[in-house]
């Protein structure tokens, strides 16, 4: 995880910056979420969708989407005094998954965005973080016109471990996105603490 240190060793007020990934399928709202919560102008690596890309990018259900992330999105948000999150949005298409290993280095945890109209698109992200033991929460981006499902239904549909948080959100809304990030930090903190205790017991 990313951290920033002051010159005073052992100072409880040392600023801390945590690295968070925002992952999920193509067109699920990753760029939107990073942009909505970031307190700085987000770095984006978006390109226009091309005719060639139509052969490999499934735009079914997101037919109004005209751009795609080809490397990453980056933003920053201060959760409270002394605690900032560095947000790295991953590209959604499988041809860019080779970037995920680099982006996940040092990450505290991840947000897996899900769209209930294309729920299967978030399976690769869920599998990725489960196999690497990276704590994650599933955030269901509630698109207008999409059928509404509760968190327990999504938990069962994705066959998640019982303790994995599932939250409903609006990726366009800063407060909603911030709540998702707070849930992730709390959950990841509990997971890392539990692993640390297990390692010394």
């Amino acid at each position: 995880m990313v951290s920033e240190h002051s010159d005073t060793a052992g100072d409880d007020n040392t600023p801390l910056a945590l690295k968070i990934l925002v992952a999920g399928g193509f067109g699920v709202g990753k760029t939107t979420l990073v942009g909505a919560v970031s307190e700085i102008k987000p770095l984006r690596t978006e390109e226009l969708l091309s005719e060639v890309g139509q052969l490999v990018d499934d735009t079914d259900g997101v037919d109004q989407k005209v751009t795609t992330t080809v490397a990453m999105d980056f933003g920053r948000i201060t959760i409270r005094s002394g605690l900032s999150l560095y947000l790295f949005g991953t590209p959604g298409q499988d041809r860019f998954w080779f970037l995920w290993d680099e982006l996940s280095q040092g990450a505290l945890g991840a947000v897996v965005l899900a769209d209930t109209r294309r729920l299967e698109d978030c399976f690769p992200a869920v599998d990725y973080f489960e196999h690497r033991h990276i704590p994650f929460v599933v955030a269901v981006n509630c698109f207008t016109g999409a059928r509404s499902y509760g968190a327990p239904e999504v938990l069962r549909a994705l066959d998640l471990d019982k303790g994995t948080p599932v939250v409903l959100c609006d990726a366009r809304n800063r407060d909603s996105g911030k709540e998702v990030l707070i849930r992730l930090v709390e959950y990841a903190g509990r997971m890392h603490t539990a692993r640390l205790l297990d390692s010394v017991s």
Side-chain angles (χ1 to χ4, degrees):
M1 71 189 71
V2 182
S3 62
E4 298 173 353
H5 302 281
S6 68
D7 294 332
T8 307
D11 185 353
D12 288 341
N13 295 319
T14 301
L16 181 65
L18 305 174
K19 182 178 183 181
I20 302 295
L21 299 186
V22 180
F26 176 66
V28 78
K30 301 179 294 295
T31 298
T32 300
L33 177 65
V34 172
V37 301
S38 181
E39 62 199 15
I40 62 172
K41 183 178 180 180
L43 167 67
R44 292 178 172 154
T45 57
E46 289 202 304
E47 295 292 339
L48 289 171
L49 291 172
S50 65
E51 290 185 13
V52 174
Q54 290 177 1
L55 300 175
V56 290
D57 295 331
D58 180 10
T59 58
D60 209 25
V62 287
D63 48 311
Q64 294 183 353
K65 185 173 175 60
V66 295
T67 62
T68 185
T69 299
V70 295
M72 67 173 187
D73 300 308
F74 173 77
R76 186 189 71 210
I77 180 174
T78 301
I79 295 296
R80 58 171 171 75
S81 178
L83 175 60
S84 298
L85 304 182
Y86 289 167
L87 308 175
F88 291 81
T90 65
Q93 302 98 311
D94 54 5
R95 67 182 185 278
F96 295 126
W97 285 348
F98 68 92
L99 295 169
W100 286 30
D101 287 338
E102 288 293 328
L103 291 174
S104 65
Q105 291 294 320
L108 173 76
V111 173
V112 176
L113 269 179
D115 178 352
T116 57
R117 300 168 302 178
R118 299 156 53 108
L119 199 56
E120 68 280 0
D121 289 358
C122 72
F123 282 142
V126 168
D127 289 342
Y128 182 91
F129 297 121
E130 282 183 342
H131 286 119
R132 287 160 181 79
H133 305 290
I134 297 174
F136 67 93
V137 301
V138 172
V140 179
N141 192 7
C142 299
F143 287 89
T144 302
R147 182 178 171 186
S148 178
Y149 292 92
E153 294 172 286
V154 175
L155 185 79
R156 288 193 301 271
L158 293 176
D159 194 26
L160 300 171
D161 291 338
K162 192 173 181 181
T164 304
V166 176
V167 294
L168 307 182
C169 74
D170 181 344
R172 303 165 299 180
N173 183 279
R174 177 180 170 85
D175 290 338
S176 181
K178 188 173 179 179
E179 282 301 314
V180 170
L181 296 172
I182 290 171
R183 285 287 299 276
L184 171 62
V185 171
E186 292 173 346
Y187 175 65
R190 293 194 301 270
M191 293 293 290
H192 285 292
T193 299
R195 290 172 187 170
L196 181 62
L197 291 175
D198 285 344
S199 69
V200 297
S201 61

